[in-house]
Amino acid sequence: MARILIVEDTPANMLLAGTILQKAGHTLLQATDAAQGLALARENPPDLVLMDIQLPGMDGLTATRALKSDERTQDIPVLALTAFAMKGDEERMRAAGCAAYVSKPLRYQQLLAAVDDLLAHDVGHDISHQEGIGP
């Protein structure tokens, strides 16, 4: 299975995403802010990054841009996690380099479908949305 980095500052969301991914057989790296996530991705590049958009300090889109501008991490697909999808967010996520996004609350089947899709395909910048991902 894949090594997946989750960058999420809310403990409940980190626990839920981590539990879903571990039950599917994936190995996890976890960071509670963007700086820690960037450091982990550069030290031990994962197969996929789940990036919360609203993080303390550096937001998830800025962190995604940093990943995409770094030769060591530019090819890692990023799945954005957002609680408040607003008009124009899809374009901002695409411009930052996110391959897809899921809306919170996270739901088991939708999250796994998005993760499996990104791990199975070279998605480049084709952004897709998985609606309402919670239990």
Side-chain angles (χ1 to χ4, degrees):
M1 299 305 313
R3 188 174 56 252
I4 299 175
L5 169 60
I6 304 171
V7 184
E8 171 64 66
D9 65 315
T10 305
N13 291 334
M14 177 71 84
L15 179 63
L16 179 58
T19 299
I20 291 169
L21 295 171
Q22 284 181 317
K23 284 187 179 206
H26 299 293
T27 302
L28 301 182
L29 300 168
Q30 297 178 321
T32 56
D33 63 40
Q36 182 185 28
L38 290 171
L40 283 172
R42 290 173 178 144
E43 291 166 13
N44 189 13
D47 300 304
L48 175 68
V49 174
L50 271 62
M51 181 74 71
D52 184 17
I53 297 305
Q54 295 182 312
L55 292 167
M58 181 189 311
D59 68 45
L61 294 182
T62 302
T64 298
R65 283 187 209 92
L67 285 172
K68 295 302 176 178
S69 67
D70 188 324
E71 197 173 274
R72 297 168 288 179
T73 57
Q74 66 187 5
D75 294 328
I76 301 168
V78 176
L79 176 62
L81 305 177
T82 182
F84 305 107
M86 308 282 257
K87 184 176 175 132
D89 280 354
E90 183 174 331
E91 185 56 37
R92 283 189 291 280
M93 286 184 253
R94 180 182 294 127
C98 298
Y101 73 100
V102 292
S103 299
K104 297 176 187 178
L106 298 176
R107 279 188 244 152
Y108 187 88
Q109 289 182 328
Q110 289 88 350
L111 179 59
L112 283 182
V115 166
D116 290 346
D117 187 52
L118 291 177
L119 291 172
H121 300 94
D122 179 19
V123 295
H125 290 286
D126 294 337
I127 197 162
S128 63
H129 173 230
Q130 295 290 326
E131 191 63 46
I133 295 193

